[in-house]
Amino acid sequence: MLDATRVALVSGAGSGIGAAIAEALARSGLAVACVDRHLPSTQDTATRITSAGGTAIAVELDITDEAAVSAAPESVAAALGPIDVLVNNAAVGGETPLAGLTPSDFRRVLRVNLDGTVALTLAFLPQLRESPAGRILNVASIQGFRGARDSLAYGASKGAVVNLTRDLAADLADDGILVNALAPGFVDTPMARYADGTSEYETDWFRSIYVEHGRILLRRPAQPAEIAQAALFFCSPSNTYVTGQILAVDGGLTATF
């Protein structure tokens, strides 16, 4: 087992926000278990960390597989030690018009975005309870408290993550575990790309509404590294009194009406 001061686990670490958070935590001195259901992608993240002098392992894990999730704490602890920080970032998107939405579509999204988050949290709670500075950071979305067309399943799942964060903060306060969430707005990630590889940010409708008319006050989407910077404080031992909070990292999108 490596002699690391603190250990973090980041789900959905193969790309986008998860990869950026994993790399930021590693730069701050944590050993990081990079978890993703797509092993080559999370191996890439772990390799970038180790090539930069950090400590990381790649873990292939489908967070909807209850047996695999139950086995994960033992294998992660054997490699890095028990975790101090859990970042629940893994999620699926999927814009589906209401007329075409089926119950199975809805359940598929909630199974990953909500059930998977809960399963991973419960599995690693014994380790977090032993940490002198246990931290849980959930990645929600501004769609967790703002409605949008064609996003019923995704919005419902992220709304549930928002209140899950508050309830966990209440349940775990006596254990010294602080629980918070980030609510990103538009972020330039693979999830925001269409099947042909183009980004929604390159479309005329996005530029007209969010850039030219300033619906996003900063007039651009975020980069994953900017979300990661917000994550560092919540995951740090220097955060000693902030829990149960959801921080919108959205360039000012939710600041106006």
Side-chain angles (χ1 to χ4, degrees):
M1 184 176 69
L2 297 171
D3 183 19
T5 301
R6 299 181 76 224
V7 178
L9 182 146
V10 181
S11 69
S15 65
I17 293 171
I21 291 176
E23 292 177 60
L25 290 173
R27 285 193 298 271
S28 72
L30 278 75
V32 184
C34 302
V35 169
D36 201 283
R37 64 180 177 178
H38 186 244
L39 184 58
S41 296
T42 201
Q43 285 175 329
D44 289 343
T45 303
T47 297
R48 288 195 300 272
I49 290 172
T50 55
S51 296
T55 300
I57 60 170
V59 180
E60 182 179 19
L61 180 65
D62 179 348
I63 63 171
T64 67
D65 183 335
E66 293 185 13
V69 170
S70 296
E74 183 177 356
S75 61
V76 169
L80 297 176
I83 72 167
D84 304 278
V85 175
L86 173 62
V87 179
N88 286 308
N89 167 75
V92 294
E95 292 188 356
T96 304
L98 184 59
L101 184 69
T102 67
S104 62
D105 292 333
F106 189 86
R107 287 193 298 270
R108 178 185 63 83
V109 175
L110 262 70
R111 191 174 175 216
V112 177
N113 297 2
L114 178 59
D115 295 355
T117 294
V118 172
L120 204 59
T121 300
L122 294 177
F124 279 91
L125 263 183
Q127 292 185 14
L128 291 166
R129 284 190 167 109
E130 293 299 316
S131 170
R135 303 288 182 267
I136 298 174
L137 180 66
N138 297 323
V139 179
S141 167
I142 59 169
Q143 288 190 46
F145 38 82
R146 292 290 181 96
R149 290 182 181 274
D150 301 335
S151 296
L152 184 65
Y154 184 78
S157 71
K158 291 302 186 177
V161 169
V162 165
N163 222 47
L164 172 72
T165 299
R166 295 172 177 140
D167 289 335
L168 281 172
D171 284 336
L172 299 176
D174 289 346
D175 294 309
I177 300 172
L178 306 187
V179 187
N180 294 285
L182 300 179
F186 287 99
V187 187
D188 191 5
T189 68
M191 189 182 289
R193 297 195 173 273
Y194 299 114
D196 63 2
T198 60
S199 169
E200 64 182 331
Y201 314 124
E202 299 167 350
T203 61
D204 290 341
W205 70 265
F206 184 93
R207 295 203 60 81
S208 175
I209 296 172
Y210 293 101
V211 178
E212 294 167 13
H213 289 86
R215 186 68 181 86
I216 296 176
L217 299 184
L218 298 186
R219 298 179 186 270
R220 62 175 177 83
Q223 294 302 310
E226 294 176 298
I227 309 301
Q229 285 303 305
L232 288 177
F233 168 72
F234 287 118
C235 295
S236 169
S238 32
N239 169 28
T240 58
Y241 203 64
V242 180
T243 194
Q245 302 304 305
I246 293 84
L247 175 66
V249 188
D250 63 359
L253 178 58
T254 55
T256 63
F257 61 88

